[in-house]
Amino acid sequence: MDDLVLRSLTRSFPSGGGVFDISLTVQSGEFLVLLGPSGCGKTTLLRLIAGLEFPDSGEIQIGEANEASNKTHRESIAMVFQNFALYPHMTLFQNIAFPLKLRHVAREETERRVKESAAKAGLTVDLKRFPRELSGGERQRVALARALVREPEIILMDEALASLDAQLRASLRLELKEFQRRTGRTFVYVTHDQVEALALADRLVVMRKGRVEQVGGPQEIFDCPQSEFVGTFVGNPPMNVFLAEKASTSGSLTVNGVDFKIKPPEGSPAEIRVGIRPNDLSTEEGQGRGSIEVVVGSVEFSGATYIVYAKLGDSPICTELPRRVEVGARLKLFFDTARVHLFDPSTGKRLEPA
Ligand code: ATP
């Protein structure tokens, strides 16, 4: 199978929305997730890849096949929509067989391929039934089976699990990932749910305002966000970010007068944005650790941990702790200075400490 290559793709709408100058290579067999807030252009990019939308400039290529010149482009791609887009008046069999009917595939072959696809998608209900008789999860499987029936190399999914309940989403997510591993198919999957994105992706593309903000493995994106936007968008509860000043005597960064024991890079601005993830703050002292004192404002039980909302001076700060703490308590929190992220306040870009 061939890689899917996007080169400087731009599609702009009069509203100012769209996607701008996107270059990406999706490797064969890869699970690529497009992640970003509502309106950042994820669906537009997916529709461009599907050939449902045409770029103003740039090109899409699958191996040697060019979008404009070669019909194999459409043939090798199938898309699953958020609302599944099933035909209500057709049986499940007819829905799944529909792409084959359009291609005048013979009856026996249609029958074989529909059954195979339904099995691959984990669809166990009678195919003579109608979509209205199915649960959301079953409809999702029909939509997947319909995508698979064409035997595409690349499967595009747009918020495909968004309308399902949390438990079903989690189990279908596992199945989807397992399916991808088993079949070696390439997936491009759109979501605004960062938990889903981190769970599914081999590589993540974080988008913002129609542009790619960062591409990388989930761990890399989480541990080393290249911008404040990525740092705060990926991770839940979100990363704490403060405005820090350079102390004139020690040269290290202070937040509300508290020394963070981190030296900013040479030539960096006088003020720097400092980020710490809630789970990187703990009540346990350790070597090479900075410390801060906070006052607890409220506590939420999350099941496995307690999410603590506190104040560092005037600034809100969130931490995730293994045990309950009292509202109003003063807490000393410790952090590994190597886990602190620095961002340029004017560009939002990551800075490496000195
Ligand atoms: P969501 O998560 O809400 O689906 P998204 O990241 O998928 O959002 P898109 O649907 O790609 O975002 O939309 C990107 C921007 O382009 C939005 O500002 C949207 O209003 C605009 N847009 C998308 N399609 C069109 C269109 N056909 N005509 C005009 N503007 C459009």
Side-chain angles (χ1 to χ4, degrees):
M1 280 190 273
D2 292 311
D3 292 347
L4 166 68
V5 184
L6 315 183
R7 285 199 195 89
S8 304
L9 270 193
T10 293
R11 171 75 172 109
S12 65
F13 297 111
S15 58
V19 295
F20 308 95
D21 195 23
I22 302 228
S23 293
L24 267 180
T25 298
V26 189
Q27 281 145 20
S28 172
E30 178 173 43
F31 205 117
L32 189 88
V33 175
L34 306 178
L35 173 70
S38 185
C40 72
K42 307 178 294 292
T43 298
T44 303
L45 186 57
L46 209 65
R47 288 174 57 83
L48 284 166
I49 298 172
L52 298 171
E53 193 83 59
F54 293 100
D56 302 333
S57 58
E59 61 170 4
I60 301 170
Q61 197 178 304
I62 303 170
E64 295 302 304
N66 187 287
E67 196 222 351
S69 63
N70 199 318
K71 87 181 203 353
T72 64
H73 175 89
R74 293 269 178 88
E75 292 299 311
S76 48
I77 290 183
M79 182 149 167
V80 181
F81 296 90
Q82 174 173 7
N83 55 11
F84 315 144
L86 300 178
Y87 300 109
H89 58 284
M90 291 186 191
T91 64
L92 307 185
F93 185 95
Q94 288 165 334
N95 264 284
I96 299 170
F98 193 70
L100 302 182
K101 193 174 171 198
L102 292 180
R103 287 165 183 78
H104 307 293
V105 175
R107 221 181 61 197
E108 295 80 57
E109 191 184 341
T110 297
E111 208 143 295
R112 178 184 62 76
R113 279 166 67 175
V114 167
K115 281 187 185 147
E116 259 176 35
S117 311
K120 278 187 196 153
L123 188 65
T124 49
V125 296
D126 184 350
L127 299 183
K128 290 198 218 56
R129 289 168 71 181
F130 288 88
R132 64 173 176 276
E133 302 172 83
L134 303 187
S135 70
E138 287 163 343
R139 274 185 224 155
Q140 221 293 318
R141 290 178 200 277
V142 178
L144 181 61
R146 187 176 54 186
L148 294 176
V149 84
R150 285 174 37 201
E151 300 173 349
E153 290 182 14
I154 300 169
I155 298 169
L156 310 177
M157 296 185 105
D158 191 1
E159 303 268 7
L161 305 180
S163 61
L164 308 175
D165 69 59
Q167 211 174 355
L168 189 57
R169 272 168 83 148
S171 72
L172 282 180
R173 205 158 69 199
L174 276 176
E175 273 186 43
L176 203 56
K177 191 71 186 157
E178 172 51 31
F179 174 82
Q180 180 244 356
R181 274 199 209 102
R182 208 171 57 233
T183 60
R185 293 277 159 76
T186 307
F187 275 79
V188 183
Y189 187 96
V190 160
T191 182
H192 63 265
D193 177 344
Q194 44 103 15
V195 175
E196 196 157 282
L198 291 172
L200 281 171
D202 292 324
R203 268 192 321 152
L204 263 173
V205 178
V206 185
M207 293 178 64
R208 180 195 194 191
K209 295 183 182 163
R211 293 179 191 274
V212 171
E213 188 86 2
Q214 186 172 354
V215 183
Q219 189 87 51
E220 181 188 348
I221 298 255
F222 189 79
D223 288 343
C224 202
Q226 291 303 308
S227 66
E228 183 177 333
F229 172 81
V230 175
T232 50
F233 189 74
V234 179
N236 192 33
M239 180 187 278
N240 299 292
V241 184
F242 311 102
L243 190 62
E245 294 174 339
K246 228 183 301 185
S248 51
T249 44
S250 65
S252 70
L253 292 168
T254 63
V255 176
N256 293 336
V258 180
D259 188 350
F260 267 51
K261 299 192 180 123
I262 299 163
K263 290 236 162 46
E266 285 293 322
S268 56
E271 291 185 323
I272 283 186
R273 307 271 291 165
V274 171
I276 309 183
R277 293 204 180 277
N279 62 317
D280 283 330
L281 289 163
S282 100
T283 48
E284 279 179 34
E285 205 163 345
Q287 287 216 325
R289 298 201 133 200
S291 69
I292 50 178
E293 241 184 53
V294 303
V295 180
V296 177
S298 62
V299 181
E300 274 175 8
F301 182 47
S302 80
T305 58
Y306 293 88
I307 313 292
V308 178
Y309 298 94
K311 281 278 175 75
L312 170 67
D314 290 334
S315 310
I317 183 166
C318 177
T319 172
E320 204 173 345
L321 299 176
R323 61 181 176 82
R324 176 176 273 288
V325 288
E326 291 306 317
V327 170
R330 276 185 177 281
L331 283 185
K332 196 155 187 186
L333 297 175
F334 299 90
F335 56 90
D336 183 347
T337 49
R339 301 284 302 169
V340 171
H341 308 267
L342 305 182
F343 304 105
D344 186 313
S346 53
T347 63
K349 296 284 175 222
R350 184 183 187 85
L351 300 166
E352 292 303 335

